[in-house]
């Protein structure tokens, strides 16, 4: 798949997929709205082998737990088929200072990909680790002279997709 210009470049965190999976009303769900934007090509999502592995493990197991294995499969198939796979350097995954601030070393892989592909947004419902990295006012996170907006799914829909 080619990277089209004009598309919004994002890294979706696994929590967005889980939010879509668990929602009772897909029509009102920001997570489903984001998946639709991915399906229709309005956004380009970047993913690594590590992110793909996490998504498959978590989404499938939660899908089984809550009795929605078909929806879990649909979400995964959509995201994996419509995302651009990259092999980023472990820029943040190997940075002790960054990992300490992040609080969960498993979440550094999303920043590795975001940095490697110069994406505009990380979209996450993980307020405990990923979302807390942003500036409270601007919602930006700065690394090495670059900035990225870290938005929750609802914020992304309201501020970007509209």
């Amino acid at each position: 798949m080619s990277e089209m210009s004009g598309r919004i470049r994002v890294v979706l965190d696994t929590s967005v997929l889980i939010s879509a999976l668990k929602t009772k009303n897909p029509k009102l769900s920001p997570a489903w709205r984001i998946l639709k934007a991915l399906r229709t090509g309005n956004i380009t999502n970047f993913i690594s082998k590590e992110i793909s592995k996490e998504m498959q493990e978590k989404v499938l197991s939660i899908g089984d737990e809550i009795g929605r294995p078909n929806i879990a499969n649909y979400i995964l198939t959509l995201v994996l088929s419509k995302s651009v796979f990259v092999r980023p350097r472990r820029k943040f995954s190997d940075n002790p200072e960054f990992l300490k601030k992040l609080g969960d070393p498993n979440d550094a892989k999303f920043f590795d990909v975001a940095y490697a592909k110069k994406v505009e947004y990380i979209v996450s419902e993980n307020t405990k680790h990923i979302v807390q990295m942003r500036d409270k006012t601007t919602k930006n996170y700065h690394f090495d002279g670059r900035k990225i907006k870290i938005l929750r799914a609802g914020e992304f829909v309201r501020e970007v997709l509209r």
Side-chain angles (χ1 to χ4, degrees):
M1 186 180 120
S2 65
E3 293 172 37
M4 308 297 279
S5 61
R7 287 187 181 170
I8 302 155
R9 300 161 65 87
V10 304
V11 170
L12 298 178
D13 170 29
T14 308
S15 61
V16 176
L17 280 61
I18 293 167
S19 174
L21 178 62
K22 288 182 167 180
T23 189
K24 298 278 184 276
N25 189 344
K27 283 196 170 35
L28 298 177
S29 161
W32 277 104
R33 180 83 200 283
I34 291 167
L35 292 178
K36 183 183 175 193
L38 180 65
R39 195 186 73 229
T40 57
N42 293 336
I43 63 174
T44 300
N45 181 53
F46 293 91
I47 198 170
S48 65
K49 195 174 74 210
E50 293 76 20
I51 292 173
S52 165
K53 185 172 184 279
E54 177 185 293
M55 285 178 169
Q56 291 180 63
E57 288 169 1
K58 288 190 176 172
V59 173
L60 291 175
S61 72
I62 291 170
D64 283 344
E65 276 168 38
I66 66 173
R68 294 181 167 180
N70 294 351
I71 296 171
N73 271 317
Y74 172 79
I75 291 169
L76 268 180
T77 304
L78 169 64
V79 171
L80 297 179
S81 67
K82 291 288 188 178
S83 297
V84 178
F85 274 81
V86 296
R87 292 177 63 181
R89 295 209 329 275
R90 290 171 53 85
K91 185 167 184 59
F92 300 96
S93 297
D94 292 334
N95 178 332
E97 206 174 300
F98 176 84
L99 295 176
K100 189 174 171 215
K101 188 172 183 230
L102 182 62
D104 182 354
N106 283 322
D107 289 331
K109 59 184 168 281
F110 298 99
F111 289 86
D112 287 336
V113 171
Y115 185 82
K117 296 312 290 183
K118 299 183 175 81
V119 304
E120 299 154 280
Y121 304 95
I122 292 177
V123 185
S124 177
E125 290 297 314
N126 180 346
T127 51
K128 196 169 168 206
H129 303 116
I130 295 177
V131 178
Q132 60 89 23
M133 296 292 281
R134 71 187 186 181
D135 178 276
K136 301 265 183 288
T137 314
T138 63
K139 299 177 186 150
N140 288 333
Y141 176 73
H142 292 267
F143 40 16
D144 285 8
R146 288 187 204 161
K147 72 175 185 192
I148 185 168
K149 265 204 188 314
I150 300 176
L151 298 177
R152 296 185 64 180
E155 293 170 334
F156 184 77
V157 168
R158 282 192 303 277
E159 297 174 28
V160 184
L161 295 180
R162 288 195 273 287

